[in-house]
Amino acid sequence: GSHEDCASERNGIRYRSSADDYEDSGCFESFRCWESRNDLVTGIFQGFIIILIVANAVVIGIETDNKDDFDWDMVENFFLAAFTVELIVRLNYNGCRNFFKLRENPELTWNVLDFSIVAAGLL
């Protein structure tokens, strides 16, 4: 489809979806049009992330009491990879400027928190 077919606007924020839209973002040089933008914001995606967060919390609790019983680094790296992919998907979907937009961005606090946690894990 055309670039117009891919663009969307919600709550006054234009969500970029093509390489042309990203040329001025300074974050991503190319981006393909998502066939179904609703997939990202549906309960399926959010539900999967919530399950990952809860599973990670359970693993941290189990790991605390059983440090020597398992290779926890492997499990921690799995969760870090999953959360990194989730962050990349959200950055691509929103665009860097909208993701970190200071005004009229109800998700800013969560975005900064998620970015900080993933960045700290990758360092």
Side-chain angles (χ1 to χ4, degrees):
S2 69
H3 298 311
E4 291 77 28
D5 294 338
C6 300
S8 68
E9 188 168 328
R10 289 188 306 276
N11 300 325
I13 299 172
R14 183 168 186 269
Y15 292 88
R16 299 180 184 108
S17 59
S18 72
D20 293 341
D21 290 335
Y22 278 101
E23 284 180 356
D24 69 340
S25 73
C27 190
F28 298 99
E29 293 183 16
S30 65
F31 182 69
R32 66 177 180 78
C33 175
W34 291 49
E35 293 299 321
S36 175
R37 292 192 155 280
N38 292 333
D39 287 349
L40 186 65
V41 293
T42 60
I44 295 171
F45 183 79
Q46 290 179 354
F48 178 72
I49 298 306
I50 289 169
I51 289 169
L52 275 176
I53 292 168
V54 170
N56 191 28
V58 169
V59 165
I60 289 170
I62 294 170
E63 178 184 6
T64 302
D65 292 334
N66 302 293
K67 291 181 182 182
D68 299 325
D69 294 344
F70 193 73
D71 181 13
W72 296 109
D73 287 339
M74 178 181 67
V75 177
E76 291 171 4
N77 287 334
F78 165 79
F79 283 110
L80 179 59
F83 291 129
T84 301
V85 168
E86 182 246 352
L87 182 65
I88 290 169
V89 167
R90 289 178 41 222
L91 278 166
N92 273 315
Y93 180 74
N94 293 305
C96 283
R97 287 186 182 163
N98 288 332
F99 193 83
F100 293 110
K101 185 178 176 181
L102 296 177
R103 294 190 177 133
E104 299 175 16
N105 184 358
E107 300 295 320
L108 178 63
T109 304
W110 288 114
N111 292 347
V112 170
L113 178 67
D114 290 348
F115 183 86
S116 300
I117 290 170
V118 170
L122 292 172
L123 297 177

